[in-house]
């Protein structure tokens, strides 16, 4: 009290002004971290969005009611039911990553960002799965994820949000559907086994037919060669007949008869060979022609 009483009125004013300046500097200087953006309001209206670093606002007029993190966020994994085009009920597990790029939109257009994004993703997933069949859901999951990501990005653009990742982690089926799919898979495996066996039999038949065709071709070639040889022999005999006359022809006939008798004599077992008189004459004629030759 003695110190206050000893101050004059001018001193008190100077001290008040100094304290006001210190308070103004404290309220007017805003240091924003790199991972945040601050929304500034003046009399309840949006005035500015402060980026990372040192920023200045008007003390007592401006205030910072919202400090928004711009780090990437992950929504909790969610499960939602969906029905495919072939009326199969599936449970789809999704995961979404996003970050806020325009805090002024996020603050003034949406209250619960996480719930809004989760609801949007669930609706888009149900809609996309509803127009494709179960086999496509399982086999073309990458294309389905891309469609979901594109549509989610379009839907949340008005909220100042960027969806960095939208994934379908798993697609689960109920027990009845699993049993039916397993039965279908076993039937498909059995059908493929039957097709493979039938193709093997078909190939075996084709190979056997090719072998028979090859054998027939070779036999035909052998017969042609034999016919050529026979024709050559006939030509030689004809030339001999033309040169030596009737005696050459009688000699050839006699040799044929002798060969025929020799073949008869080669038979197995004991047999009796009856030679006609003409055969003896054939032997005699052959020897006589041979001596003349």
């Amino acid at each position: 009290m003695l110190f206050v009483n000893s101050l004059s009125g001018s001193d008190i004013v100077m001290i008040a002004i100094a304290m006001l300046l210190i308070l103004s500097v404290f309220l007017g200087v805003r240091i924003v971290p790199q991972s945040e953006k601050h929304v500034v309001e003046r009399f309840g209206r949006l005035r500015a969005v402060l980026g990372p670093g040192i920023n200045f606002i008007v003390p007592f007029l401006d205030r910072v009611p919202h400090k928004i993190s711009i780090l990437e966020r992950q929504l909790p994994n969610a499960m939602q039911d969906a029905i495919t085009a072939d009326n199969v009920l599936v449970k789809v597990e999704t995961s979404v990553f996003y970050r806020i790029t325009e805090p002024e939109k996020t603050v003034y257009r949406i209250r619960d960002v996480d719930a809004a994004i989760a609801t949007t993703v669930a609706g888009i997933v149900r809609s996309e799965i509803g127009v494709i069949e179960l086999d496509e859901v399982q086999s073309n999951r990458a294309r389905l994820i891309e469609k979901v990501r594109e549509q989610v990005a379009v839907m949340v653009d008005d909220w100042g949000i960027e969806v960095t990742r939208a994934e379908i982690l798993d697609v689960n089926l109920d027990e009845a559907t699993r049993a039916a799919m397993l039965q279908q898979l076993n039937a498909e495996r059995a059908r493929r086994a039957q097709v493979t066996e039938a193709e093997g039999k078909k190939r075996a038949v084709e190979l056997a037919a090719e072998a028979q065709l090859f054998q027939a071709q070779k036999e035909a070639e052998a017969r042609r060669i034999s016919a050529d040889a026979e024709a050559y022999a006939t030509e030689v005999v004809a030339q001999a007949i033309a040169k030596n006359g009737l005696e050459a022809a009688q000699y050839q006939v006699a040799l044929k008869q002798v060969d025929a008798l020799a073949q008869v004599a080669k038979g197995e077992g004991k047999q009796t060979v009856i030679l006609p008189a003409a055969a003896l004459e054939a032997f005699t004629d052959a020897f006589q022609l041979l001596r003349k030759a």
Side-chain angles (χ1 to χ4, degrees):
M1 292 296 294
L2 293 175
F3 176 75
V4 173
N5 292 331
S6 63
L7 294 176
S8 62
S10 60
D11 293 335
I12 294 175
V13 172
M14 292 297 295
I15 292 174
I17 292 174
M19 293 180 63
L20 181 61
L21 289 174
I22 293 174
L23 181 61
S24 298
V25 171
F26 178 77
L27 295 176
V29 177
R30 294 288 179 174
I31 299 177
V32 181
Q34 181 69 37
S35 60
E36 293 182 357
K37 286 185 177 182
H38 293 181
V39 178
V40 180
E41 290 182 353
R42 179 177 295 177
F43 302 118
R45 293 175 62 88
L46 173 66
R47 177 182 175 273
V49 176
L50 305 181
I54 299 177
N55 297 271
F56 299 95
I57 62 175
V58 179
F60 308 107
L61 297 180
D62 297 339
R63 68 187 188 95
V64 181
H66 306 287
K67 297 179 180 180
I68 306 299
S69 173
I70 59 175
L71 295 177
E72 188 172 1
R73 310 178 189 183
Q74 178 185 8
L75 291 180
N77 293 349
M79 295 286 295
Q80 55 257 353
D81 296 336
I83 300 178
T84 62
D86 49 351
N87 296 322
V88 177
L89 177 64
V90 295
K91 292 183 177 294
V92 183
E93 182 179 4
T94 59
S95 176
V96 178
F97 293 80
Y98 73 95
R99 66 187 185 92
I100 297 175
T101 58
E102 299 178 84
E104 63 275 16
K105 292 183 178 180
T106 307
V107 169
Y108 298 110
R109 293 188 179 182
I110 190 72
R111 180 180 297 275
D112 190 341
V113 177
D114 290 354
I117 295 177
T119 303
T120 302
V121 171
I124 292 174
V125 168
R126 292 192 184 100
S127 175
E128 288 296 327
I129 291 181
V131 297
I132 60 178
E133 296 184 353
L134 179 62
D135 292 341
E136 296 182 17
V137 175
Q138 299 287 356
S139 60
N140 297 326
R141 185 178 298 183
R143 186 165 60 88
L144 177 61
I145 291 174
E146 186 63 26
K147 285 186 176 181
V148 171
R149 184 184 298 115
E150 291 176 357
Q151 294 197 28
V152 171
V154 172
M155 294 291 292
V156 302
D157 183 63
D158 291 339
W159 301 338
I161 296 172
E162 177 188 3
V163 176
T164 56
R165 291 180 59 190
E167 301 291 341
I168 296 178
L169 302 179
D170 197 8
V171 178
N172 298 317
L173 306 174
D174 56 10
E175 292 301 326
T177 305
R178 287 180 181 271
M181 290 184 63
L182 181 60
Q183 184 178 3
Q184 182 181 2
L185 180 61
N186 292 333
E188 179 65 19
R189 289 176 178 173
R191 185 189 67 79
R192 291 181 180 179
Q194 293 177 355
V195 170
T196 302
E197 183 180 0
E199 289 179 350
K201 292 181 178 179
K202 176 183 176 182
R203 184 57 181 166
V205 171
E206 291 176 351
L207 292 176
E210 291 178 359
Q212 293 178 357
L213 178 60
F214 180 77
Q215 181 180 1
Q217 291 176 347
K218 293 302 179 181
E219 290 178 352
E221 291 180 1
R223 288 194 296 269
R224 181 178 59 82
I225 294 173
S226 177
D228 291 343
E230 187 69 22
Y232 177 75
T234 302
E235 183 180 358
V236 171
V237 171
Q239 292 177 356
I241 293 173
K243 182 177 180 180
N244 298 321
L246 184 61
E247 292 181 353
Q250 292 176 348
Y251 175 72
Q252 290 295 328
V253 172
L255 287 180
K256 292 291 185 180
Q257 292 177 346
V258 171
D259 290 337
L261 292 175
Q263 292 297 326
V264 173
K266 288 181 180 179
E268 296 181 358
K270 296 180 180 179
Q271 65 265 353
T272 301
V273 180
I274 300 174
L275 297 178
L280 295 178
E281 294 179 358
F283 279 113
T284 303
D285 294 340
F287 283 116
Q288 288 179 357
L289 292 173
L290 183 61
R291 284 199 300 270
K292 292 181 180 180

